[in-house]
Amino acid sequence: MSLYRDTGIVLRVQKLGEADRIITFVTQRHGKVRAVAKGVRRTTSRLGARVEPFAHVDVQFYTGRTLDVITQVQTIDAFGAGIANDYQRYTSGCAILETADRMSAEEGEPVLRLYLLVVGALRALADGERDPSLVLDAFLIRAMAFAGWSPAVNECARCNDPGPHRSFSIQAGGAVCPRCRPAGSAAPAQETLELMSALQLGHWEVAERSTGNARREGSGLIAALLQWHLERQLRSLPLVERKGVQASGSDVRSAGSAQ
């Protein structure tokens, strides 16, 4: 029996048999790990509350034939307590977990930067000091940079000509100059591009001064870019509540249809 230990965030849980669950983590050293928590659905289990989504835990595994098995769990941060009681924060958190799950597709492949992004985003949601919509969009745009899909905002995505540029193409990967502009490109407001740049760079004072229109337009562009690269829809994004921004799944579709 080979034991190993790591810290991670619980991304997803699935039922297995009558009393077990498969727990999916994104971990600090081993990337994505899927492991069985035996007997966790029994009322007498001491692990149940420690392996729920949003939990930040120190966990010990032993290596199994197909799935590893969880033997010990210690809670580091109970982010769920500060997230689950607010629908806006909860839906934003679910979108963060689903994105992390999709972006760490290969089990065992180290994804340290993604792990740190997830921990930071969930901590910001749980603290409640920032707008959950901005926290989500900052996570998504930085997660794309981790995957090598960082959108061009301050330069042309095709020729690298310095901006600002008025056109934006999802297929091209961001802002485009007049020479490189594909047919059907969107024309977001300059404030929207400034907001996206601020979210990339962590300039929160700029992001928090942005208007509702810029946040709505930026959220649509960021979500459309992410789903273009992932080549699939994220189920949680249309459910995200964006108070005062009035964004929904239709914003994602309209941003994508502009291409």
Side-chain angles (χ1 to χ4, degrees):
M1 183 174 66
S2 175
L3 292 172
Y4 66 98
R5 202 173 191 96
D6 208 340
T7 58
I9 294 284
V10 177
L11 301 180
R12 185 158 50 100
V13 300
Q14 300 165 271
K15 292 180 179 179
L16 178 66
E18 295 183 357
D20 304 339
R21 279 182 176 156
I22 298 173
I23 314 296
T24 303
F25 302 87
V26 59
T27 67
Q28 186 173 14
R29 294 185 297 275
H30 297 85
K32 180 187 284 188
V33 174
R34 296 173 69 243
V36 176
K38 291 186 177 294
V40 75
R41 291 161 57 198
R42 297 193 181 100
T43 56
T44 56
S45 173
R46 293 180 295 176
L47 295 182
R50 301 177 188 175
V51 286
E52 292 293 331
F54 306 116
H56 185 205
V57 293
D58 182 293
V59 56
Q60 180 175 279
F61 309 91
Y62 78 77
T63 306
R65 290 185 178 180
T66 55
L67 290 173
D68 295 346
V69 178
I70 297 168
T71 60
Q72 293 180 13
V73 179
Q74 293 181 350
T75 300
I76 300 173
D77 296 293
F79 292 133
I83 294 175
N85 60 356
D86 182 277
Y87 185 74
Q88 187 183 19
R89 281 182 279 173
Y90 175 74
T91 53
S92 297
C94 289
I96 288 169
L97 296 188
E98 185 181 359
T99 301
D101 192 14
R102 300 298 182 198
M103 286 194 164
S104 53
E106 297 296 328
E107 293 185 37
E109 178 182 342
V111 286
L112 175 60
R113 186 178 171 193
L114 181 62
Y115 161 80
L116 294 174
L117 284 173
V118 175
V119 172
L122 294 184
R123 181 169 285 117
L125 287 179
D127 290 346
E129 296 180 359
R130 301 196 187 280
D131 183 341
S133 298
L134 291 178
V135 173
L136 172 59
D137 290 338
F139 170 80
L140 296 180
I141 203 167
R142 294 179 193 182
M144 282 191 279
F146 155 78
W149 308 329
S150 182
V153 177
N154 299 309
E155 66 283 329
C156 177
R158 289 188 168 176
C159 70
N160 208 36
D161 186 39
H165 300 299
R166 292 301 309 274
S167 300
F168 195 97
S169 170
I170 299 298
Q171 296 175 353
V176 284
C177 68
R179 296 189 306 274
C180 300
R181 180 185 183 275
S185 295
Q190 183 59 36
E191 185 190 7
T192 301
L193 297 179
E194 291 172 357
L195 169 60
M196 293 174 66
S197 178
L199 293 175
Q200 278 183 323
L201 300 174
H203 295 165
W204 285 100
E205 66 283 358
V206 176
E208 290 172 344
R209 288 199 305 265
S210 60
T211 64
N213 287 337
R215 296 186 190 188
R216 179 177 63 250
E217 191 171 43
S219 295
L221 292 173
I222 291 169
L225 277 165
L226 175 66
Q227 293 177 130
W228 169 264
H229 288 298
L230 289 176
E231 298 182 344
R232 64 187 304 168
Q233 295 277 338
L234 292 178
R235 292 176 297 175
S236 54
L237 274 181
L239 303 177
V240 173
E241 180 181 342
R242 299 180 184 270
K243 292 180 181 178
V245 183
Q246 300 178 352
S248 66
S250 61
D251 294 309
V252 176
R253 292 189 293 271
S254 62
S257 64
Q259 306 311 308

